Amino acid sequence: MSTSTSTDTLKTARIAVLGYGSQGRAHALNLRDSGLDVVVGLRKGGPSWQRAQAEGFAVAEPAEAVRGADLVAVLTPDMVQPALYKDAIEPNIKPGAALLFAHGFNVHFKQIDPRKDIDVILVAPKGPGALVRSEYERGRGVPCIWAVHQDVSGQAEAHTKSYADGIGGGRAMIIETDFKEETETDLFGEQAVLCGGASELVIKGFETLVEAGYQPEIAYYEVMHELKLIVDLFYEGGLTRMLEFVSETAQYGDYVSGPRIVDAGTKQRMREVLDDIQDGTFARNWTAEYKAGLPNYKRLKQADLDHPIEQVGAKLRARMPWLQSVPVPVAAAVTPPLKKAG
Ligand code: NAD
Ligand code: MG
């Protein structure tokens, strides 16, 4: 782990940022404000094209942006990257240039097999794009993890660190990792704890209370709404801060009942989820699901959206006006939602 703030090795480089969504927009703006030369690569007529142009960028079709770039940052949704690589990057990227990812999925699981004459690197900010931008604007930065997968220029590490500095990460902290660690821990986190684990915990807690005859409105507040208070305390100061701010009764209940809910069996199943990630089962299933047009994904998503907790939640949230003005989704650094090709 280190801190630094030098973009020197990219001073004369042309950087192509492909995608202008959560990460792409933040990276492009921060790199430009760091004095670097940025072109944004997008499909003509896509939803981000006008925005990038209005924000002062040179915008080109991906193939065009890649041609002549010294560093190509691939910041489109993960599932569109293999085709984008084949069509726009592989035929056009300069020998010796760097191909940069913010998530290692496609390289690690061999959905993209990068040409052998380019550097392949990773910089993943530990936060959503909106935070990467807002922290940069305040003169600070979001910590980043970085990795080098392939180094043909002899400059791969220097370029990776310069890029991390350029988006503000060097002002905070950068931590070295590798594509395997970044990819597998990212998937595990979102499946076992953040998205999968947390939402199932909430749903099962809600069902338990409602089936026992309690009002859904009361159950919603107890297991969904108030979760934010606890998560905020975790975020600000870990278990220590949470324990400082909840009552002694809540603490005692935590100590004696928490391990009855999430127990050694749960941990064993977490291990199984991790095994599926590590041996490629998850990646294989997910890629096949995507190619099949997302039939299970759509069905499972609809089931979540139709759950009674969503009916009661919508009704209650409409009575909490402060929730209507939340400016940016507080989406954590998890794999982004699949969007219609944008
Ligand atoms: P996003 O969905 O917010 O934005 C995607 C952008 O790509 C949009 O501008 C869209 O118009 C464009 N796009 C879509 N298809 C395209 C195509 N075929 N050609 C060119 N442009 C296309 O994506 P995101 O959340 O910023 O994720 C980008 C990368 O960053 C992913 O690898 C993701 O895993 C990684 N990442 C995201 C976060 C996060 O918080 N969202 C955090 C860390 C890493
Ligand atoms: Mg993540």
Side-chain angles (χ1 to χ4, degrees):
M1 142 179 138
S2 65
T3 58
S4 61
T5 46
S6 163
T7 53
D8 286 353
T9 75
L10 291 178
K11 267 261 138 35
T12 59
R14 161 147 274 222
I15 300 175
V17 171
L18 306 186
Y20 201 72
S22 170
Q23 292 294 326
R25 176 173 183 271
H27 291 213
L29 290 168
N30 292 3
L31 293 166
R32 182 174 69 187
D33 290 349
S34 294
L36 302 177
D37 178 20
V38 177
V39 56
V40 174
L42 291 168
R43 286 159 312 158
K44 210 169 209 138
S48 318
W49 181 286
Q50 285 193 342
R51 186 174 196 196
Q53 227 167 27
E55 292 180 326
F57 285 102
V59 186
E61 297 267 5
E64 185 60 33
V66 169
R67 242 172 259 135
D70 303 288
L71 187 152
V72 176
V74 188
L75 301 174
T76 65
D78 293 298
M79 288 295 125
V80 314
Q81 292 177 9
L84 182 68
Y85 177 77
K86 271 279 165 243
D87 299 342
I89 302 174
E90 192 173 58
N92 295 306
I93 190 168
K94 281 201 301 210
L99 184 62
L100 179 140
F101 294 88
H103 180 34
F105 187 94
N106 286 304
V107 171
H108 179 62
F109 290 117
K110 303 195 166 35
Q111 301 302 306
I112 291 177
D113 178 21
R115 260 171 40 194
K116 295 298 172 251
D117 62 346
I118 54 174
D119 291 350
V120 181
I121 62 182
L122 176 135
V123 173
K126 292 284 93 183
L131 189 69
V132 171
R133 180 57 184 161
S134 62
E135 282 300 282
Y136 184 93
E137 286 178 305
R138 295 165 136 182
R140 305 191 300 215
V142 170
C144 290
I145 63 178
W146 65 275
V148 171
H149 174 75
Q150 190 167 291
D151 179 9
V152 301
S153 68
Q155 294 275 297
E157 179 173 333
H159 288 153
T160 310
K161 288 177 169 170
S162 290
Y163 187 97
D165 289 343
I167 63 172
R171 295 166 170 177
M173 172 177 66
I174 61 172
I175 302 173
E176 184 171 8
T177 183
D178 56 36
F179 276 58
K180 172 180 161 57
E181 181 176 65
E182 187 280 330
T183 303
E184 293 176 354
T185 55
D186 190 76
L187 294 173
F188 177 81
E190 65 200 18
Q191 291 177 29
V193 180
L194 307 176
C195 308
S199 61
E200 280 308 313
L201 196 62
V202 166
I203 289 171
K204 294 293 185 289
F206 177 84
E207 289 173 354
T208 302
L209 287 175
V210 172
E211 285 162 19
Y214 300 103
Q215 298 178 70
E217 290 79 5
I218 306 285
Y220 175 87
Y221 276 113
E222 289 307 325
V223 304
M224 173 83 95
H225 183 80
E226 289 188 24
L227 186 59
K228 175 175 167 46
L229 311 176
I230 301 304
V231 170
D232 283 350
L233 294 168
F234 284 167
Y235 186 73
E236 291 158 11
L239 296 177
T240 306
R241 188 166 170 86
M242 191 275 279
L243 294 173
E244 236 168 64
F245 279 84
V246 305
S247 69
E248 286 170 333
T249 308
Q251 282 184 62
Y252 178 70
D254 165 352
Y255 305 141
V256 300
S257 299
R260 295 172 64 190
I261 302 301
V262 180
D263 62 6
T266 313
K267 190 169 165 191
Q268 172 55 34
R269 291 187 297 280
M270 284 186 172
R271 180 65 239 187
E272 291 163 17
V273 166
L274 183 59
D275 289 342
D276 280 358
I277 292 168
Q278 289 177 324
D279 70 14
T281 302
F282 173 78
R284 209 168 34 251
N285 291 345
W286 173 216
T287 309
E289 171 73 14
Y290 188 81
K291 286 184 179 148
L294 301 169
N296 298 299
Y297 170 98
K298 287 178 185 157
R299 178 175 49 78
L300 296 166
K301 181 169 187 166
Q302 198 55 49
D304 266 4
L305 298 177
D306 291 342
H307 193 280
I309 198 170
E310 286 307 283
Q311 319 309 316
V312 69
K315 197 176 74 184
L316 294 175
R317 289 191 297 270
R319 296 305 192 87
M320 294 185 277
W322 66 92
L323 297 180
Q324 310 330 304
S325 57
V326 174
V328 226
V330 194
V334 296
T335 303
L338 285 173
K339 297 195 181 125
K340 288 174 278 352

